[in-house]
Each structure stands twice: as structure tokens, then as C-alpha cells.
């Protein structure tokens, strides 16, 4: 600070032998690529989240017991944790670019834990010496065989003949391990693809509507459903009801995904236009600034050689006028951009609102069809229940019905109340699904529009502040020149 160094511009930092106990206040060094903090008394890896450009990190000769706090260091290539108290290799999954790793003189006991390092496809240099497992006979064979990318192990070049012998020794184990890793990776890829697909469905507000989940949930949360399903002829009705209901849900799903695609295209088009307008405005501003800088440089050179005071006053006046003109021109460009973006946001808001309204209208229409199906099914179940009750009262029922169902046929009110309760439970699920879809669609649209307006206000304020600071500097330069000329 005393030397006028901006911490945000520092690329390399050495803090070794400082008795540092805790890593803190590193957020100021945003551009740091190399950090050396060896030979301290650090107990925990922390406080490095903001150092996203870090490529080289030395934390050797500390008191670290666990590998952690490295998730943000995705550009890290060289990591040294030599001579600490670490017992397990873990929490390094995001270090995809790791080339060099020193973990010697720690407390690694399980050599199978080294298999964790197989995920680092760029790892070429590894130091392990001094860990408990290294006392095992031929541990280097195990390491070289299982970590095929290694070029150096414990600072020694890996001999190719040694590598071939080691690989042959563990060939079957490695083949089995590679197979398991491929299976795990394939499963992970499938889960990732499934999650991404589900996210798209959520963006369309239609997740699970391409399945029978909504229909199943209507009955799984209906306490009377299992009993009423045992009524004569109801199974056939349920099969028919499910088929028609799921078909409508499928149409709702397809419509929702099609509308999601339209909304995305609209948003992408708007963001492209927004970027183009901002870039064009920026280029126009840069052109004005370059022209002013050329003019300023020329005029200041003339003023430095000017001996006529009247001419000097005139030149000063002209410079002030040039600064005022620059201000007017820059502010004019900003006002022009504000008007342009405001109009674009209004157009986008109108288009998006129309799309959401169209989506909501169609959702309500299709959900209404689901509700009609439920009402129709309810009427049929009611009729069956009445007929069954009459036959029971007259002892004319040919089918045997279970005891739990028979308990509902005490009288007409009991069975009809059960049928109505089942119907209400189904309608509740349908109504909830409709409310959820409509609410999410409207809320997402509103949030997006509010964010766009907020971002534009922030951009405008930042730009006006930049212009003001720029002009203040221009005036300060002119004032400094006037003071110099006396």
C-alpha cells in the first residue's frame, strides 16, 4: 500500500516463514496466479475462493490436516502440500488442470486412496515419499501402474521398462478398475443428461407431465382410492381414465416445451440486440475519446511552447470548450442508448407477456379437460356405487366384495361421502398443478423483466459515473498544465 501497489494487479505473492496461522484477506488479490505460503503454521486451507486465476500454490511445511477449500481453483496446475498432516486425498475434484502434485511427508496410509488421483488426466509429476504407505514393498510399482500419466515420481523420471513391468503385474486389477470407472462415468453422464433434460422441462413448467406421475399422485394420496377401485367394473374405468388423462398430460408437455423454445428464442434475440446496441455505443464513445486525446496531446504541446499570454488564454478556453463538448457528446450517446434500450426492453416485455398469457390460456384449457375427465369418472363411480348399494340391500350382488369396501356400504351417505372425498382429492391435485404452472410462468416472467430493468439502471448509473470521472480527470490535467505554466 505504501508503495502505491494495487493488490488487484498483483500476480505473484510470497508469504513464507511468516508464522501465519490463518489464510485470510486474500480476496484483494483477484488476479493472483502464484501464491507461496510454505513454512507457516496454517491448520486449514481456506480463504482462497476469490483466487480463481491461481495456477501455482505452495502450502508445504504447515499443519494442515485435511485437503479442502480448493473448489474455486479450477486453473491450478501446481499444488504443493508437502510436509503436513494429511491422511486422505479428497476434495480436489475441480482441479482438472493439475499437472504437478506434491503430497510427500504426510500421513497417507491407505495406498488405495491414491486411486483418487486417476481422475487427473493431466497429472505428470507426483511426489509421495515420506508417507506411511511408502514403507510397503514395491509401492512404486503400484503407483506407476495405476497412474499411467505420470512422467515423474518422487522427482525421478519414470523408466518405461519399469512402467511396462508394473502395468503387467497389476494388469487384471487395472482392467477391472478401468471397467468400473467407465461404468461409473457412464452412469454419471446419464444422470447429468437426465438432470439437464429435467431442467429444460422445468423451464417449460411441465416437468413429469410426460409420464403418468400426476395421475398416480391423484390416487396415491387418496385414502379411499384403493377401496373404491375394488367396486365391480371400476378397474376397466380406471384404465380408460388413465389412458385419456395421460394423453392430455402429454399434449400439455409437448405444448409447454414448444413454448419454452419460443421464449428462449425471444430472449436470445433480445440479448443479442442488447449486446449489439451497447457495443455500438461503446465504439462510438471510444472514437470520441480517441479524437479528444489526439486533440488534447496536440494542444498541450502547443501550450507548453506558447509565450503569448493572450493566445494561451484562448487555447485554455478552447480546451475547456472541447471538454464540455466531449461531455455533451458522451452524455448524448448515453441518453441515446438509454432510450434505445428502454424501447427494446418494453418491446421484449410486451412480447414475453403475450407469450406467457398464451401459455397460461392453453394450460388452463388443457387442465380443464383433465378436470372434465375427473368429473366424468366421478359420475360413473357414483352410479356404480349406488347400483352396488342397491344390490347389496337386496342381496342380489353376485360378486364378493372385500370387508374394507363393504364397510363403506353401511348406508347411502357413507358410500357417497367416500366417493365425494375421493373426487375432491383428485380435483385438489389437478387444481394445484394448474396453479403451480400458472404461478411459476407469471412469476418467472415478472422476475426476468424486473431484473432487466434493474440491470439497465445499474448500467446507466455506472456509465454516467465513468463519464463524470473521465471528465474530472480531463479537467484536472488542464488545471495542472495551467498551474505549471504559471
Amino acid at each position: 500500500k505504501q508503495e502505491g501497489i494495487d493488490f488487484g494487479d498483483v500476480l505473484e505473492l510470497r508469504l513464507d516463514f511468516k508464522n501465519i496461522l490463518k489464510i485470510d484477506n486474500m480476496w484483494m488479490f483477484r488476479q493472483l496466479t502464484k501464491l507461496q505460503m510454505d513454512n507457516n503454521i496454517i491448520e486449514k486451507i481456506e480463504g482462497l475462493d476469490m483466487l480463481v486465476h491461481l495456477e501455482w500454490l505452495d502450502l508445504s511445511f504447515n499443519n494442515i490436516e485435511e485437503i479442502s477449500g480448493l473448489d474455486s481453483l479450477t486453473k491450478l496446475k501446481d499444488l504443493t502440500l508437502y510436509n503436513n498432516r494429511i491422511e486422505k486425498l479428497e476434495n480436489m475434484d475441480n482441479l482438472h488442470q493439475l499437472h504437478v502434485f506434491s503430497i510427500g511427508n504426510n500421513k497417507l496410509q491407505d495406498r488405495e486412496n491414491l486411486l483418487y488421483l486417476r481422475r487427473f488426466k493431466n497429472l505428470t509429476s507426483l511426489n509421495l515419499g515420506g508417507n506411511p504407505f511408502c514403507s510397503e514393498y514395491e509401492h512404486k510399482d503400484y503407483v506407476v501402474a495405476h497412474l499411467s500419466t505420470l512422467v515423474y515420481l518422487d522427482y525421478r523420471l519414470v523408466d518405461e521398462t519399469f512402467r511396462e513391468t508394473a502395468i503387467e503385474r497389476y494388469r487384471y486389477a487395472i482392467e477391472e478398475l478401468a471397467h468400473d470407472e467407465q461404468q461409473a462415468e457412464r452412469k454419471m453422464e446419464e444422470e447429468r443428461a437426465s438432470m439437464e433434460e429435467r431442467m429444460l422441462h422445468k423451464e417449460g413448467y411441465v416437468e413429469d407431465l410426460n409420464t403418468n406421475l400426476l395421475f398416480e399422485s391423484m390416487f396415491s394420496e387418496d385414502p379411499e382410492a384403493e377401496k373404491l377401485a375394488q367396486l365391480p367394473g371400476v378397474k376397466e374405468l380406471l384404465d380408460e381414465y388413465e389412458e385419456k388423462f395421460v394423453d392430455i398430460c402429454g399434449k400439455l408437455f409437448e405444448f409447454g416445451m414448444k413454448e419454452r423454445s419460443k421464449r428462449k428464442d425471444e430472449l436470445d434475440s433480445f440479448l443479442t440486440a442488447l449486446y449489439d446496441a451497447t457495443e455500438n455505443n461503446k465504439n462510438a464513445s471510444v472514437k470520441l475519446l480517441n479524437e479528444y486525446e489526439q486533440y488534447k496531446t496536440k494542444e498541450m504541446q502547443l501550450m507548453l511552447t506558447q509565450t503569448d499570454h493572450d493566445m494561451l488564454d484562448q487555447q485554455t478556453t478552447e480546451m475547456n470548450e472541447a471538454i464540455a463538448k466531449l461531455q455533451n457528446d458522451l452524455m448524448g450517446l448515453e441518453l441515446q442508448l438509454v432510450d434505445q434500450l428502454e424501447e427494446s426492453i418494453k418491446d421484449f416485455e410486451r412480447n414475453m407477456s403475450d407469450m406467457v398469457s398464451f401459455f397460461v390460456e392453453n394450460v388452463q384449457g388443457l387442465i380443464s379437460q383433465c378436470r372434465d375427465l375427473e368429473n366424468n369418472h366421478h359420475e360413473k363411480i357414483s352410479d356404480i356405487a349406488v347400483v352396488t348399494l342397491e344390490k347389496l340391500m337386496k342381496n342380489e350382488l353376485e360378486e364378493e366384495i372385500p370387508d374394507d369396501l363393504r364397510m363403506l356400504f353401511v348406508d347411502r351417505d357413507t358410500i357417497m361421502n367416500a366417493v365425494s372425498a375421493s373426487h375432491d382429492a383428485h380435483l385438489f391435485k389437478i387444481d394445484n398443478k394448474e396453479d403451480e404452472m400458472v404461478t411459476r410462468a407469471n412469476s418467472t416472467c415478472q422476475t426476468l423483466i424486473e431484473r432487466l430493468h434493474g440491470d439497465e439502471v445499474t448500467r446507466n448509473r455506472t456509465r454516467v459515473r465513468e463519464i463524470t470521472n473521465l471528465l474530472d480527470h480531463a479537467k484536472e490535467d488542464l488545471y495542472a498544465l495551467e498551474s505549471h505554466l504559471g
Side-chain angles (χ1 to χ4, degrees):
K1 284 290 187 179
Q2 292 174 350
E3 295 175 3
I5 297 175
D6 187 341
F7 290 171
D9 295 332
V10 175
L11 299 179
E12 299 184 5
L13 182 61
R14 181 174 176 177
L15 294 170
D16 53 340
F17 296 96
K18 303 291 185 186
N19 284 326
I20 296 172
L21 176 63
K22 182 179 180 181
I23 305 174
D24 204 357
N25 295 314
M26 299 305 298
W27 58 269
M28 295 182 285
F29 298 91
R30 296 180 299 277
Q31 300 300 321
L32 208 62
T33 60
K34 183 175 182 179
L35 176 60
Q36 186 171 346
M37 299 188 75
D38 59 283
N39 290 279
N40 285 291
I41 50 175
I42 297 168
E43 297 179 348
K44 183 179 180 181
I45 305 174
E46 59 185 338
L48 303 175
D49 294 348
M50 300 299 292
L51 307 186
V52 294
H53 300 290
L54 204 63
E55 298 180 5
W56 192 95
L57 175 62
D58 185 354
L59 291 170
S60 57
F61 294 94
N62 278 288
N63 300 324
I64 299 167
E65 296 182 354
E66 179 184 36
I67 299 177
S68 61
L70 301 174
D71 292 345
S72 300
L73 311 186
T74 57
K75 295 184 179 180
L76 199 65
K77 297 179 180 179
D78 191 317
L79 174 60
T80 302
L81 296 172
Y82 185 82
N83 208 94
N84 278 281
R85 302 173 182 176
I86 296 167
E87 297 181 359
K88 185 178 181 181
L89 299 176
E90 59 183 341
N91 300 323
M92 298 165 57
D93 295 28
N94 291 344
L95 309 186
H96 304 298
Q97 299 188 38
L98 192 64
H99 282 71
V100 179
F101 183 39
S102 177
I103 190 70
N105 271 26
N106 275 276
K107 295 185 177 182
L108 302 179
Q109 299 192 38
D110 183 4
R111 73 176 187 175
E112 291 189 2
N113 182 220
L114 290 173
L115 300 181
Y116 177 82
L117 299 178
R118 285 174 62 85
R119 70 195 64 209
F120 304 112
K121 306 304 181 184
N122 297 313
L123 186 63
T124 57
S125 181
L126 176 64
N127 173 31
L128 294 168
N131 282 288
F133 80 88
C134 292
S135 61
E136 296 179 12
Y137 177 64
E138 295 182 341
H139 75 277
K140 290 187 177 181
D141 296 54
Y142 182 88
V143 175
V144 170
H146 288 83
L147 302 178
S148 60
T149 60
L150 286 185
V151 178
Y152 297 93
L153 175 60
D154 294 338
Y155 308 112
R156 290 179 179 271
L157 183 67
V158 177
D159 180 75
E160 287 305 312
T161 303
F162 179 79
R163 188 196 305 275
E164 291 172 5
T165 303
I167 290 175
E168 181 60 29
R169 179 178 180 182
Y170 291 96
R171 181 161 60 91
Y172 295 113
I174 292 173
E175 287 177 357
E176 183 177 352
L177 180 62
H179 174 73
D180 292 343
E181 288 174 345
Q182 288 175 0
Q183 292 286 89
E185 190 171 342
R186 191 177 297 115
K187 182 180 179 181
M188 190 178 298
E189 189 60 38
E190 289 173 356
E191 289 176 354
R192 189 182 300 114
S194 177
M195 189 177 298
E196 289 175 356
E197 184 178 23
R198 184 169 178 79
M199 286 304 298
L200 293 180
H201 296 173
K202 281 194 168 188
E203 290 176 7
Y205 318 115
V206 291
E207 65 272 17
D208 300 322
L209 286 176
N210 56 335
T211 69
N212 66 344
L213 186 63
L214 178 58
F215 183 85
E216 290 290 337
S217 69
M218 287 163 50
F219 288 85
S220 64
E221 298 179 24
D222 171 12
E224 307 296 346
E226 190 174 346
K227 300 174 187 175
L228 296 176
Q230 300 176 79
L231 283 169
V234 169
K235 184 180 184 306
E236 293 76 10
L237 281 179
L238 282 172
D239 291 341
E240 180 185 358
Y241 179 24
E242 180 176 6
E243 182 180 352
K244 292 179 179 179
F245 191 93
V246 172
D247 180 62
I248 294 174
C249 287
K251 292 177 181 177
L252 190 53
F253 175 82
E254 291 176 5
F255 171 74
M257 293 306 293
K258 188 183 298 183
E259 288 303 300
R260 174 211 160 271
S261 181
K262 290 180 182 179
R263 291 193 300 272
K264 184 179 183 303
D265 290 343
E266 179 68 21
L267 178 58
D268 290 345
S269 177
F270 166 75
L271 292 177
T272 299
L274 192 72
Y275 175 81
D276 290 343
T278 305
E279 283 298 299
N280 290 337
N281 186 275
K282 176 183 174 182
N283 293 335
S285 298
V286 169
K287 182 180 178 182
L288 287 175
L289 288 170
N290 288 337
E291 290 173 354
Y292 170 76
E293 285 296 326
Q294 292 174 2
Y295 165 78
K296 182 186 79 170
T297 301
K298 180 181 177 182
E299 286 300 310
M300 284 190 168
Q301 287 175 348
L302 289 174
M303 292 172 71
L304 287 170
T305 59
Q306 184 60 256
T307 57
D308 187 327
H309 288 288
D310 291 337
M311 286 297 296
L312 195 59
D313 290 343
Q314 182 179 341
Q315 286 174 314
T316 301
T317 301
E318 290 174 356
M319 283 282 290
N320 279 314
E321 290 174 352
I323 293 172
K325 183 178 184 304
L326 177 64
Q327 179 177 7
N328 289 335
D329 291 344
L330 290 175
M331 286 297 186
L333 283 174
E334 177 56 22
L335 287 173
Q336 180 183 336
L337 180 61
V338 167
D339 291 340
Q340 186 178 354
L341 296 186
E342 185 178 349
E343 188 64 31
S344 296
I345 292 174
K346 284 182 179 179
D347 288 342
F348 173 74
E349 181 177 0
R350 185 164 47 251
N351 294 340
M352 192 61 73
S353 295
D354 289 344
M355 286 183 175
V356 171
S357 296
F358 178 70
F359 171 79
V360 168
E361 182 181 339
N362 280 270
V363 165
Q364 291 173 334
L366 287 167
I367 290 289
S368 178
Q369 292 180 33
C370 291
R371 206 175 281 113
D372 290 342
L373 280 177
E374 170 56 31
N375 290 331
N376 185 45
H377 178 72
H378 169 63
E379 291 176 6
K380 292 179 180 178
I381 294 293
S382 298
D383 292 342
I384 290 176
V386 170
V387 170
T388 303
L389 177 63
E390 291 175 352
K391 287 183 177 181
L392 274 173
M393 299 294 288
K394 297 176 182 178
N395 292 320
E396 296 177 355
L397 190 64
E398 298 178 2
E399 300 91 340
E400 186 67 30
I401 63 174
D403 292 340
D404 57 345
L405 176 61
R406 187 179 291 274
M407 291 177 64
L408 295 177
F409 286 93
V410 175
D411 53 39
R412 183 185 178 90
D413 288 343
T414 302
I415 183 61
M416 295 314 294
N417 285 339
V419 171
S420 295
S422 177
H423 176 53
D424 291 342
H426 299 172
L427 286 179
F428 179 76
K429 293 294 294 186
I430 295 173
D431 292 344
N432 269 3
K433 189 62 180 177
E434 178 183 19
D435 290 343
E436 177 204 344
M437 294 177 70
V438 171
T439 301
R440 282 171 56 198
N442 286 324
S443 176
T444 303
C445 178
Q446 182 180 353
T447 301
L448 174 61
I449 297 303
E450 289 175 355
R451 180 167 61 82
L452 289 173
H453 281 294
D455 289 348
E456 169 52 16
V457 169
T458 301
R459 185 209 63 79
N460 172 246
R461 288 175 178 172
T462 301
R463 181 57 181 155
V464 170
R465 189 161 53 247
E466 288 174 351
I467 293 173
T468 301
N469 291 337
L470 182 79
L471 294 168
D472 287 343
H473 284 304
K475 292 173 183 177
E476 288 172 4
D477 290 343
L478 180 58
Y479 178 75
L481 179 63
E482 288 182 275
S483 300
H484 175 72
L485 295 174

